[in-house]
Amino acid sequence: RFGLATEMAFRANFLVKLLVETLWLGILLVFYWKLFEHTTSIAGWSRSEYFFFVGCHYALAGIIETFFLSNCTEFAELVRSGGLDQYLLKPIDEQFLISCRLIDWSTMPNILQGVGIMIAALGFMDWTFDPLRLILFLVLFACGCMLAYSFLLMLSSTAVWLVRNQSLMEMWWLFTTLMRYPREIYRGPWATPFGWVFTFIIPVLVVVNVPAHTMVKAFNLRFIIWTIVAAIGMLVISRRFFRRALRSYRSASS
């Protein structure tokens, strides 16, 4: 309620941001539509399958931006100003309070737009309802959110040691760029090792790829299991990394 009241205090800015997000999505869809006018598939993804992939990415990115991104990016300012002290004194889990304290309402429509694109894409491909496939998709989509949140939390936690970590936080936008495209495009003598690293070492490419692939293409049990294991593992690692960062924090009075 507090976050929404803050947004409504500047209604024009709120509406303009909604318009910009909608225009950005529209431009993206037109771009991909024009690409498919010259080909039947991209890396094995048909037009409808690829648009489902785009909707999945947009919905997942909307969840991260709405609930976590602004909170995590402001963590460096809390460290620099000493404002983190008052959060550490509250009788509540520090990670939850710091990373989930505010909701960015202006990006919440992105989630609905992404879901709308996915539903439209399923309709165009005459997708037959499969409860197992849908449940797997929802589980893997949640795992993708867990992975993205873990990456974001670890990057923001470095502010304890670096204080100003804007350059390192640019890696988050690199990760979101990698998430935006199918894993299958990374083929060839140079691209294959790159794709392998960002699938099994830093599992960025599975965040959107595996949920979308499971929903509209064939099951790949190896990647399904790996996504679930990686999500749980990264969530534990990011939690420990964050706690380790807090132990290194020196308050504003020190």
Side-chain angles (χ1 to χ4, degrees):
R1 289 169 59 188
F2 175 76
L4 183 59
T6 303
E7 291 284 1
M8 291 298 99
F10 305 96
R11 292 181 179 84
N13 180 70
F14 179 76
L15 294 174
V16 168
K17 190 170 183 180
L18 291 180
L19 177 61
V20 169
E21 294 289 345
T22 304
L23 286 175
W24 169 246
L25 176 60
I27 293 171
L28 195 66
L29 294 178
V30 170
F31 173 74
Y32 288 131
W33 187 274
K34 295 300 292 184
L35 283 182
F36 277 102
E37 287 186 352
H38 303 280
T39 183
T40 57
S41 67
I42 295 178
W45 293 73
S46 68
R47 186 197 303 242
S48 296
E49 292 170 346
Y50 196 85
F51 272 80
F52 182 89
F53 181 95
V54 172
C56 185
H57 173 269
Y58 214 76
L60 191 145
I63 290 174
I64 298 300
E65 292 174 1
T66 299
F67 296 102
F68 309 117
L69 182 60
S70 60
N71 295 319
C72 289
T73 52
E74 290 174 5
F75 182 68
E77 180 61 22
L78 293 178
V79 172
R80 188 191 65 79
S81 64
L84 183 59
D85 293 5
Q86 60 179 321
Y87 290 98
L88 299 181
L89 293 174
K90 296 182 183 297
I92 190 173
D93 183 79
E94 298 89 347
Q95 179 179 332
F96 173 78
L97 181 61
I98 292 170
S99 63
C100 306
R101 65 188 184 277
L102 294 176
I103 295 176
D104 187 352
W105 291 92
S106 63
T107 56
M108 186 169 286
N110 294 353
I111 305 173
L112 302 178
Q113 290 174 352
V115 172
I117 294 171
M118 287 190 286
I119 293 174
L122 292 176
F124 279 115
M125 70 176 67
D126 296 324
W127 184 76
T128 304
F129 179 74
D130 185 342
L132 175 60
R133 198 177 284 268
L134 179 60
I135 291 171
L136 270 177
F137 168 75
L138 294 175
V139 171
L140 293 170
F141 186 85
C143 289
C145 292
M146 290 163 59
L147 281 167
Y149 170 75
S150 299
F151 296 141
L152 183 60
L153 181 66
M154 293 179 69
L155 288 173
S156 61
S157 298
T158 59
V160 172
W161 297 288
L162 302 179
V163 183
R164 288 189 177 274
N165 64 340
Q166 288 92 336
S167 297
L168 191 59
M169 285 299 292
E170 290 295 326
M171 289 187 63
W172 168 250
W173 304 112
L174 169 63
F175 288 163
T176 57
T177 301
L178 292 173
M179 297 174 194
R180 189 180 299 163
Y181 303 108
R183 187 180 57 84
E184 290 82 358
I185 69 174
Y186 299 102
R187 293 176 179 171
W190 293 99
T192 298
F194 181 87
W196 188 89
V197 168
F198 284 99
T199 299
F200 297 106
I201 305 301
I202 306 174
V204 175
L205 292 179
V206 303
V207 171
V208 179
N209 274 270
V210 176
H213 195 282
T214 301
M215 189 66 170
V216 297
K217 298 173 76 69
F219 287 166
N220 190 319
L221 186 59
R222 182 180 66 154
F223 281 106
I224 290 174
I225 295 174
W226 170 240
T227 301
I228 296 173
V229 171
I232 297 172
M234 285 299 299
L235 203 61
V236 172
I237 292 171
S238 64
R239 168 78 173 180
R240 292 184 175 181
F241 189 84
F242 179 78
R243 302 290 296 180
R244 176 66 182 84
L246 289 185
R247 286 197 297 271
S248 300
Y249 173 67
R250 298 296 179 263
S251 68
S253 61
S254 63

